[in-house]
Amino acid sequence: MSTGPNETAAPTPERPRPGASSASAPRVRHLRAHVVIVVWLALALITATTQHTLPVAHWLAIHLFLLGAVTTAIMVWTEHFAVAMLHAPPPDPRWGGVRLIALNVSAVAVLTGVAVDWPVLAGVGTLGVVAAIIGHVAALVRLGRGALGGRLAPVVGYYRLAGVALIAGAVLGGLLATGALGEAGRTGVELAHIHVNLLGWVGLPIVGTLFMLWPTVLGVRMEDRTVPVARRVLWLTGLGLLLAVPALLLGARWPAVAGLAVYAVGVGWASALFLRTVLRRAPRSGASWMLAAATCWLVVGVVADLGLMATRELSHLDPALHGLLPVLLIGFVGQTLLGALTYLLPVVLSGGPTDRAALADLLDWGWRTRLVVLNAGVLLLFLPLPAPVGAVGFGAAAAAFAAFLGLAAAALVRSREGAVTGGAGGAAAWRAPLAGAGIGVLLIVFALVAAGLPAGTTSGGGGSGTAATGTRTVEVELKGMAVSPSRIEVAPGTVLRLEVVNRDTQRHDLRVEDGPRTPMLGEGESHLLEVGPIAADLEAWCTVPGHRAAGMSMTIAVTGSADGGAESEPGHGHASPDGLDPAAEHSDGWEPRSAVLPPAEEARVHEVELRAVEADIEVAPGVSQRMWTFGGTAPGPTLRGKVGDVFEVTLVNDAEMGHGIDFHAGALAPDEPMRTIGPGERLVYRFTAERAGAWLYHCSTPSMLQHIGNGMYGAVIIDPPDLEQADREYVLVSSQLYLGEPGSEGQVAKMREGRPDAWVFNGGAGQYAAAPLAARAEERVRFWVVAAGPSDGIAFHIVGTVFDSVYKEGAHLVRPDDPGGAQVLDLAAAQGGYVEAVFPEPGHYALVDHDMRRAEAGAHGIVKVTP
Ligand SMILES: [Cu+2]
C-alpha cells in the first residue's frame, strides 16, 4: 500500500480537474450546503439572543443549532471524509442532495411543529429526519463495499454508528416533541435523547474525524498508533453509549453511570493521543487552537456529566444538566464547527492555491480575539456565578460566533463569485433555488418570531367598533399560587393565544374553560396555548388539586360584555358537607390509631422512608375523608431518637401532585431538602437532631395550609438526655379536620376562615373516647403532645389529674420534686412538649383540649385507669 502524502494529510480536496464545469460541481455543492449551514447558525444565534420573546426559544435555539446547522454539517462532512478515507468513488451527488434537502425540510417541519404546537407536523418532520439519516447510513455502508479502504477506514465506523445514534435520538425526540408520552416516562426519555444525540450523533463523528483532522491541521505526521487507538476508542465509546442510553431510558442510574464512564475512558484515550500529537508541534493557526479548546471542553463536559450522574438521582439530573449545555453546545460542538470550517472551507471552496490562501486569511481574521472571547464566555457560563455574569458570558460567546458567521458569509459570497466568474456551467443555475431556499427559511423564522412576540398589542384589522379579528398573544406567568395577569380583557372575536410560563418550583398547568390546557409545566417550562376566538367571558385555572382554590385562576373578559359584576362562580356557596357527630359509631373493622410511643431505638442513624400517598381514612365515626398523607396515615409515622442522632429520611412521591417535607427537629438550609418533588420522584432529607423536644414535621409544598390541613404532618420525638423512665408513654398529635374534596373551593374556604369540621387527636375525632388509652393506678404516664395545626394550637388537659412534670419546647417548666403543679400544656401551632401524670385511682379520666369548642368537636378522649 502506498504511504504517500494522502495517508497522513487530510484526505482533502477534489483537485481541480480539467474542464471548468466538472471542477466546480463539488465546489458548488459544498457552497450550497454551507450557505444552508450558515443560515441555520445565524437563526440559532438570533433565537438564542431573543430568548425572552419566543415561546419555546430555549428549545428552538438548541434545535436550530443541533438539528439544523450541526446535523447538516455532519451529513455533508462525514460523507465527504468517508469517500476520502475509504478511497471510494464519490457516490451519486443527486441522492446526496435529496438526502440533504429531505433533512432540512424535515428539520423545518419539526421546528415549526413544536413552535406552533402542532404535534402532527412535528411527528411527520421526525419521520423525515429518520428517513434522511437511514439513507445517509445506507450510503455510508454502500461506500464501504468494494472500496479500496485506506488506512483510516475504521473512522467511517464512527460515522455509521453516529447515524444509528441519531435514528434512536430522533425517535426519542419525536416522542417528546409530539407529546406522545405521558408524564411518567419523560425524564428518562429526555435524558436518553440528550445523551444519544450529543455524545452519539455529534460526539462520535467529531472524535473520529479528529484522528485525521488534528494532525492535518497541525501539519504533522499522524502518530503511528492512530489506527489501533481509533479502533479501540470506537469500541469503548460505542459500548458506553449502548449501555448508557437504554439505562437512562429505563431510569437505571448505575448502569448509566457505568456506560458513561466507559464512554469517558474512550474520549480520554483519544485525547491522550491528540495531546501526544500536539506535544510535537504547538498549534499556531486559529483552526488548531479552536479544535484544541473544543476537545478540552468535551473532556470537561463528559467528566462533569459523569460526576453529576454519580451524585444525584436521575430525576434531579435535568436542571443540573442544563448548566452543562453551554460547555457541550458552545465550547465543544460550536467551537469544533468553527475550527473545522476555518480549516476546511478554504480547502473545498477555493479554485486554486492563491484563492485558497486568500480565503484562509479571511477566515482567520481576528482569530486570537475570537478564541479568547468565546472560551472566556463558555467559562463564565460554566462556573456557578450569578446570573448577570452568565449573561455577559453568553454575550461574549454569541459575539464570537456572530463574528465568525460574518466571515463565513463573506467567504461564501466571495467563492460564489469565483465560481461564477470561473465559468462553472452549473453555477448560475443554482443561484435562484439557493436564494429561494434561504429566503424561505428566513420567512419561516420571521413568521415564528412574529407569532411568538409578546405583542400585548392587537394586530390585524377591525380597529373600529367592538369587533376585532386580530390575534393577540399574552404572556401568562404561573407563580406563587397566582396566575398573572389575573384578568385579560379582549375585544369580542379576538383570537387569543396565551404564552404560559411556569416561574414556580412547583409544577402547574393552565386550563381554559371549555378550551385547551397546557401539559404540566416544570420550573421554567413554557407552552403556547391557542385559545382561539373569544366570544364570551372565560375562566382559566391550574388543575393541580387545591391550586385553583388557593388563587390560581384568571379571567378572560370580553370588553363591553354585560357582566355587571354579578358573577356566579360555579361551585361557590354549596360548601361543606354536613357536620359530624363524634359520639356516633365507627364503622365495622375500624381501628384506632395507636397512641403508644415505643422507646427510641439504639441505632444512632435512623433510616426512614416516607411515601406521599393519598388515602381514604375514617376521620370521625362513620366519616371517611380523602387525605394527603405521609405513609398512608395522618399523622404520618412518629419518629423517635436521642440528641445527636442522625435521621436519613427518603421521601418518595407516590401521589399525583408535588409534595415536599420539612422537619423542625434539625437545622439546615431549606433550599434543597425542602424542595417540592414531582410525582414519581424521591429525595433524601438528612438532618442531625442536635436538640431535644417534641417536634413537628410537615409537607413543605405551597399551599402549606392545604397540605397540612389535608393530613401531611407528623411528630419527631427527641429525648432529653436526662429523660427518666416512665411506666407508659403516649404521643398525641393534635390537628384540625376539614371535610370535603381536598383542594375544593369549599374546603379551602373553611381552612382560610378557620372553620374546621372537627379538632382531633392523632387524626380521629373522638377516637380515644371510642377506644380509651390504658393505664394503671399509681403509674407514671407521660403524654407527648405536638400541635400540628394547620392553624390552631391546644390547651392540653387531663380531667382529674395534676401534671407534676411539664416539658415544653425544650425546657422543663415543672419537675416532680417542685412544689408547684400544672393543669394545662399550652402549645401554639407547631409547638410540642410532654406532661406526666400519676393516676391516683382507677377510673375514666378525660383528656381534652380545654378550649371547649374544640373538645366538644372531637378533641377529647378517655384514659381508662384500672387497678
Ligand atoms: Cu404536600
Side-chain angles (χ1 to χ4, degrees), residues 612 628 630 657-660 699-701 707-708 712:
W628 302 347
F630 289 116
M657 75 186 97
H659 293 297
C699 180
S700 61
T701 294
H707 284 254
I708 298 173
M712 303 193 80

Side-chain angles (χ1 to χ4, degrees), residues 607-748:
E607 287 181 17
V608 188
E609 186 179 81
L610 291 180
R611 289 181 171 265
V613 289
E614 296 193 9
D616 291 316
I617 296 175
E618 185 159 334
V619 290
V623 178
S624 182
Q625 165 70 20
R626 186 81 178 168
M627 301 295 282
W628 302 347
T629 76
F630 289 116
T633 61
T638 301
L639 315 183
R640 188 175 196 184
K642 294 176 286 295
V643 172
D645 283 7
V646 171
F647 289 81
E648 191 168 299
V649 182
T650 305
L651 174 64
V652 184
N653 190 353
D654 287 338
E656 282 169 12
M657 75 186 97
H659 293 297
I661 200 162
D662 172 357
F663 283 94
H664 291 190
L668 43 69
D671 311 44
E672 279 288 301
M674 292 188 200
R675 70 180 181 273
T676 294
I677 59 170
E681 296 185 340
R682 51 169 57 217
L683 79 76
V684 177
Y685 185 117
R686 193 181 160 92
F687 68 91
T688 306
E690 306 276 12
R691 295 193 169 268
W695 306 92
L696 176 67
Y697 71 86
H698 62 88
C699 180
S700 61
T701 294
S703 133
M704 280 189 234
L705 174 62
Q706 291 182 41
H707 284 254
I708 298 173
N710 276 310
M712 303 193 80
Y713 57 84
V716 179
I717 308 291
I718 306 299
D719 293 348
D722 57 350
L723 187 68
E724 303 265 349
Q725 184 97 38
D727 294 308
R728 294 172 193 267
E729 285 186 278
Y730 289 112
V731 61
L732 298 167
V733 181
S734 75
S735 67
Q736 294 94 66
L737 184 67
Y738 295 94
L739 299 179
E741 173 69 27
S744 66
E745 276 184 74
Q747 193 216 28
V748 174

Side-chain angles (χ1 to χ4, degrees), residues 418-605:
V420 174
T421 53
W430 62 259
R431 250 182 302 169
L434 180 61
I439 291 168
V441 174
L442 280 174
L443 280 180
I444 287 164
V445 167
F446 284 126
L448 291 180
V449 172
L453 282 177
T457 54
T458 305
S459 60
S464 65
T466 52
T469 54
T471 298
R472 188 167 155 206
T473 305
V474 178
E475 191 169 335
V476 175
E477 275 194 1
L478 309 176
K479 192 182 180 188
M481 286 293 156
V483 179
S484 62
S486 61
R487 186 180 173 88
I488 300 173
E489 294 192 358
V490 293
T494 304
V495 176
L496 184 66
R497 320 171 82 196
L498 301 179
E499 187 197 326
V500 184
V501 187
N502 181 14
R503 302 253 179 244
D504 219 344
T505 48
Q506 263 203 87
R507 286 145 49 89
H508 298 292
D509 66 354
L510 191 74
R511 174 183 180 174
V512 178
E513 183 183 350
D514 302 325
R517 63 192 285 180
T518 70
M520 276 295 161
L521 301 173
E523 184 176 6
E525 287 181 347
S526 57
H527 187 88
L528 191 67
L529 212 53
E530 301 277 0
V531 187
I534 305 295
D537 292 0
L538 291 175
E539 285 286 308
W541 62 90
C542 172
T543 67
V544 176
H547 287 197
R548 183 183 189 184
M552 293 202 72
S553 64
M554 79 186 301
T555 306
I556 300 164
V558 177
T559 49
S561 74
D563 87 79
E567 242 168 53
S568 68
E569 285 184 27
H572 203 89
H574 31 102
S576 78
D578 295 330
L580 44 82
D581 177 8
E585 292 288 311
H586 279 92
S587 47
D588 290 346
W590 169 81
E591 300 247 16
R593 159 75 178 245
S594 173
V596 175
L597 180 65
E601 286 170 19
E602 282 308 313
R604 304 315 302 269
V605 176

